[in-house]
Amino acid sequence: MLYLLDGFADKNVITLLFYDTDSGRFHEVRDEDYKPYFFVKYPISSREEETIQRFKGVTSLVEKKDLFSGEKIRLTRVELEDPSLLTVASRKFKERWEVHIPYLLSYVYDHNLVFGIPYAMSDGNLEPRCEINPQLRKVFLEKFAVMKKKDPEKFEILEQSFLFCSQQIPKIPLYKLGIPGDLEYEKIYLGFLLSRLANLPLPIALTNRHVSTWIKSILHCYLRRRNILIPRASELRRGEKPRRVPGALTFPPKAGTYFNTVVVDFESLYPSLIDAYNLSYETMNCGHLECRENRVPGTNYHVCTLRRGIYSLLIGALKDLRIRWFKPLAKDNSLPKGERQLADAASRLLKLILVSCYGVTVRIPGLSQPALAEAITAYGRYALKRTWSLAEKNGLRPLYGDTDSLFLDNPRNEQVEWLIRTVKEDLRLDLAIDKVYSVCILPRAMKAYFGIMKDGTSDVKGVTAIKSNSPPFIRKVFAECVRELADVKNWTEFETAKRNIRRIVNEAIKRLRRGEIPLEDLAYQVKLHFDLAEKSMKDETMHQPYQCAVQLMDAGRKVSRGSTVSFVKVKPFIYGGKKFTVKPLDLVRSVQEINVEDYVRNLRTALSQVFKPMKLSLSLIHI
């Protein structure tokens, strides 16, 4: 069996690199007839004809489909003998298309090849040999039978993606591809999956971390194979310049302490919106009069109702592959552990692509379109607002909503089930229970909360006390306080926990004042975002990380932008004619130098964020 892994272009020759699992050797397949090309308008002028001849080009008339109108258009295809001249030659034309498609990928797209899948050579022709267990295929078809009937276009993409992902992963000598041979199997597995789904050479799939490159290849491959002209970046933007797009909706938290808080969230919200509401480059503000009433909530845009959008199809298929296939497999305890781990890895890879499907429409040339990006977030805001309203009308008490999640105060099971069912019917979106907290603390600040799960583990998000640049001393005190809430189930137990928390904080401050806290637990770790040369040394005050950096450099240490410095707050002292308030950790000689009261204030600030909604008065704690 031959697996297509890589390839390269050398002048006017395309070479494909296959690995033969039977012989354990690599094989090269060369094609000297394929020429690089781009498209220009038809007909061309005599001056343009002269330009093409100067570059030893050949022209031909072709028909392509326009992405936005769906109509056939006539173009001039310009082929060149020398791939290296493609960019230079194309610049001689005011309007040109598909210049930036890599030569190798162009060949693979045009010849209906897919990286990472098995092939057989028959009479000099390559034929795919994708095989799948009949029982596995039966399960797949049963699971997606409704989609096959109602959305055949998306099912076709989903079925092909499933088929590619189900092929075996061959054992290959990676070092012969220029890749270190000691990669873990999971990484090789993910490399093959990405190579197949995005149709990228395996070395690129294993090393490239730009998700926009993956998504662009997925889109370009689909368009090329359906003879649709790949629009230029400006055309894809519909003439708009990149701009800031209104973001997600957040309902301010109702600060306080709550018991039995259920968090529900939309599964893959933005990909689901793209799928459910047919959001794609060509469906935004289509030219059909009958579609103009299909308005995007809160915007001046409308979405096509007459044809299925390509971006919607592609993202929708990958979303369903993750949510309805790999994600359930990763949680299926009847499967061997190894299979569950690989399914979980595949789910995470797909999630990475899906998480980026909105962001690329905002800022990546060749993928960005402000109207599409704005429609995605507008529908996101609408979905959260509508779900909040539904919850309130049915007697649920929503406490906090952020982008794709909703916190519900002590709901009954049937209420949650009703909300999930109604959202599915009303919004065509999947809402699911994400977490259940026995105790949940909501500060006033958005995107900051913590809760205790039913099993006693803590779940802390965005709280100042746990931020990476907080010293271990503060993080440890906070963790001790949280542990006191692990078994709390009611208000009586909560009051007992609060008394214990007061005791923990008082004891921590006493140890701090007695000099019993190790210096390393008092150290702040901060990354420098500027070189010292960029910071004005004439300023009367200097930020503490740069105070540390100056002292380190004077001590002969190398410090530059991007370095992480470790420092301790000390009693103010004069250094180089300026007042400094920190010292590098390894330059502190005695605990007597520590500015204890500064740490007390910082502890108080960090803890007050979560103590206030607990109605735990700091005045009762001796800080």
Side-chain angles (χ1 to χ4, degrees):
M1 199 70 72
L2 300 171
Y3 283 82
L4 175 58
L5 302 182
D6 200 1
F8 56 90
D10 182 16
K11 293 185 178 180
N12 60 342
V13 179
I14 286 286
T15 302
L16 301 177
L17 187 64
F18 290 84
Y19 181 71
D20 187 341
T21 55
D22 295 328
S23 67
R25 295 179 179 178
F26 283 96
H27 290 281
E28 292 184 355
V29 174
R30 293 160 57 88
D31 189 333
E32 299 180 5
D33 297 326
Y34 186 78
K35 303 294 186 290
Y37 65 86
F38 60 95
F39 299 106
V40 297
K41 282 189 172 182
Y42 176 85
I44 58 175
S45 66
S46 57
R47 186 175 180 179
E48 290 171 329
E49 179 69 38
E50 290 175 3
T51 299
I52 293 170
Q53 290 177 358
R54 190 164 68 249
F55 284 96
K56 298 181 180 180
V58 178
T59 63
S60 58
L61 171 64
V62 297
E63 280 192 345
K64 303 279 282 187
K65 189 183 293 185
D66 180 75
L67 173 64
F68 302 105
S69 68
E71 298 176 354
K72 288 185 177 180
I73 53 176
R74 297 176 121 194
L75 295 163
T76 299
R77 172 169 162 157
V78 181
E79 287 187 1
L80 301 179
E81 283 288 336
D82 189 347
S84 66
L85 298 177
L86 187 68
T87 302
V88 177
S90 67
R91 285 175 181 166
K92 303 297 181 181
F93 297 84
K94 185 176 181 181
E95 293 184 284
R96 67 271 188 189
W97 290 266
E98 302 198 15
V99 176
H100 301 297
I101 309 298
Y103 189 19
L104 175 63
L105 293 186
S106 179
Y107 181 90
V108 169
Y109 298 162
D110 285 348
H111 287 79
N112 204 30
L113 298 170
V114 179
F115 286 106
I117 71 168
Y119 286 89
M121 187 72 76
S122 176
D123 297 326
N125 296 316
L126 290 166
E127 296 181 0
R129 285 289 185 266
C130 293
E131 299 177 353
I132 191 168
N133 181 291
Q135 184 59 37
L136 187 64
R137 179 174 176 78
K138 181 182 177 182
V139 173
F140 175 83
L141 292 175
E142 289 174 353
K143 184 180 284 286
F144 295 102
V146 175
M147 182 194 298
K148 185 177 182 179
K149 183 177 181 180
K150 292 187 175 181
D151 201 345
E153 289 181 274
K154 186 171 79 167
F155 177 80
E156 181 185 348
I157 298 170
L158 174 67
E159 185 178 32
Q160 186 182 66
S161 299
F162 168 75
L163 180 65
F164 291 164
C165 290
S166 302
Q167 300 310 300
Q168 288 187 342
I169 307 299
K171 293 182 179 180
I172 58 175
L174 291 176
Y175 69 90
K176 290 190 177 181
L177 295 173
I179 301 167
D182 56 351
L183 290 180
E184 297 176 359
Y185 178 75
E186 183 178 296
K187 289 184 178 179
I188 298 173
Y189 170 77
L190 290 177
F192 266 95
L193 255 56
L194 179 58
S195 184
R196 294 164 177 175
L197 292 172
N199 208 357
L200 290 169
L202 183 63
I204 293 178
L206 284 168
T207 59
N208 186 289
R209 292 296 173 263
H210 297 288
V211 184
S212 59
T213 300
W214 311 350
I215 295 176
K216 196 173 287 187
S217 184
I218 292 170
L219 182 61
H220 288 176
C221 182
Y222 186 90
L223 293 174
R224 179 69 74 83
R225 289 185 174 170
R226 280 152 184 80
N227 200 38
I228 300 171
L229 182 65
I230 299 172
R232 294 170 294 175
S234 59
E235 291 174 322
L236 209 61
R237 293 196 306 268
R238 309 292 283 272
E240 290 190 81
K241 293 183 178 180
R243 56 178 169 80
R244 187 174 181 180
V245 173
L249 173 67
T250 301
F251 285 96
K254 298 177 181 178
T257 301
Y258 301 93
F259 297 99
N260 189 37
T261 303
V262 176
V263 182
V264 292
D265 71 355
F266 297 100
E267 293 202 75
S268 296
L269 177 60
Y270 285 167
S272 295
L273 293 170
I274 290 170
D275 182 20
Y277 295 101
N278 198 30
L279 305 181
S280 187
Y281 298 99
E282 74 280 19
T283 61
M284 297 304 306
N285 288 344
C286 66
H288 309 127
L289 291 176
E290 54 266 63
C291 299
R292 292 186 179 179
E293 296 303 313
N294 187 33
R295 311 289 296 186
V296 177
T299 74
N300 295 320
Y301 303 121
H302 68 269
V303 180
C304 187
T305 60
L306 299 182
R307 62 172 174 156
R308 195 76 158 91
I310 287 172
Y311 199 58
S312 179
L313 286 169
L314 293 170
I315 296 301
L318 293 179
K319 180 259 301 180
D320 284 343
L321 185 63
R322 175 181 179 261
I323 291 179
R324 299 183 59 191
W325 188 261
F326 284 115
K327 196 174 178 182
L329 284 181
K331 298 178 180 179
D332 188 349
N333 290 325
S334 67
L335 295 175
K337 183 180 179 181
E339 288 187 31
R340 295 200 308 273
Q341 288 176 335
L342 291 180
D344 181 63
S347 176
R348 284 186 276 110
L349 172 66
L350 288 168
K351 183 178 181 179
L352 184 56
I353 297 173
L354 296 170
V355 163
S356 303
C357 70
Y358 158 69
V360 298
T361 67
V362 179
R363 59 184 174 271
I364 302 298
L367 290 173
S368 67
Q369 186 191 93
L372 175 57
E374 192 167 339
I376 294 169
T377 56
Y379 269 114
R381 294 190 296 274
Y382 170 74
L384 186 63
K385 190 183 297 183
R386 176 67 176 155
T387 304
W388 183 287
S389 176
L390 287 169
E392 285 188 322
K393 287 180 180 178
N394 197 48
L396 290 102
R397 295 182 296 278
L399 300 170
Y400 174 47
D402 182 17
T403 309
D404 62 352
S405 61
L406 208 63
F407 287 58
L408 304 172
D409 178 25
N410 194 26
R412 299 191 307 275
N413 290 339
E414 58 270 23
Q415 287 179 304
V416 177
E417 291 170 2
W418 175 87
L419 185 63
I420 292 172
R421 187 172 60 252
T422 304
V423 165
K424 181 67 174 178
E425 295 169 356
D426 189 59
L427 297 173
R428 290 171 280 163
L429 298 173
D430 293 313
L431 193 69
I433 295 175
D434 182 35
K435 301 167 186 172
V436 179
Y437 298 126
S438 55
V439 182
C440 181
I441 312 297
L442 291 176
R444 290 190 181 279
M446 293 188 285
K447 301 184 185 295
Y449 58 88
F450 79 86
I452 305 298
M453 310 289 278
K454 292 292 186 180
D455 62 0
T457 58
S458 61
D459 182 42
V460 187
K461 304 292 182 183
V463 174
T464 302
I466 65 160
K467 290 189 175 179
S468 59
N469 59 356
S470 292
F473 167 66
I474 292 178
R475 296 204 300 269
K476 288 178 180 179
V477 172
F478 178 73
E480 282 190 73
C481 294
V482 170
R483 278 196 291 271
E484 289 298 322
L485 298 169
D487 298 319
V488 169
K489 297 294 186 294
N490 54 51
W491 286 108
T492 301
E493 294 173 351
F494 183 62
E495 290 301 324
T496 301
K498 283 164 65 175
R499 288 193 293 271
N500 292 337
I501 288 172
R502 291 191 187 98
R503 175 184 52 76
I504 289 169
V505 177
N506 277 328
E507 181 57 34
I509 293 168
K510 288 176 183 177
R511 288 188 291 114
L512 178 64
R513 286 180 169 149
R514 291 196 298 261
E516 297 175 0
I517 307 299
L519 285 176
E520 56 268 23
D521 279 0
L522 299 176
Y524 287 81
Q525 305 278 343
V526 180
K527 186 176 182 179
L528 299 179
H529 296 289
F530 303 94
D531 286 322
L532 280 177
E534 299 176 51
K535 303 294 289 183
S536 175
M537 303 301 287
K538 296 179 181 179
D539 291 346
E540 189 172 326
T541 58
M542 182 183 292
H543 291 305
Q544 291 179 337
Y546 296 94
Q547 294 178 23
C548 176
V550 167
Q551 296 173 71
L552 287 171
M553 291 183 72
D554 289 347
R557 314 286 177 79
K558 185 179 179 180
V559 180
S560 60
R561 175 169 37 188
S563 298
T564 297
V565 295
S566 180
F567 60 86
V568 175
K569 293 177 181 285
V570 298
K571 295 168 185 175
F573 65 102
I574 301 301
Y575 189 90
K578 294 182 181 180
K579 185 171 77 171
F580 276 25
T581 54
V582 304
K583 280 188 176 182
L585 173 61
D586 52 1
L587 295 185
V588 178
R589 301 303 176 213
S590 168
V591 293
Q592 302 304 317
E593 296 182 66
I594 302 302
N595 189 339
V596 173
E597 296 311 312
D598 207 352
Y599 279 96
V600 170
R601 284 192 297 271
N602 287 348
L603 179 64
R604 176 181 186 139
T605 300
L607 295 181
S608 65
Q609 184 184 29
V610 291
F611 279 4
K612 284 183 179 179
M614 291 169 62
K615 291 185 168 46
L616 181 55
S617 176
L618 290 172
S619 63
L620 299 177
I621 298 176
H622 303 302
I623 22 183

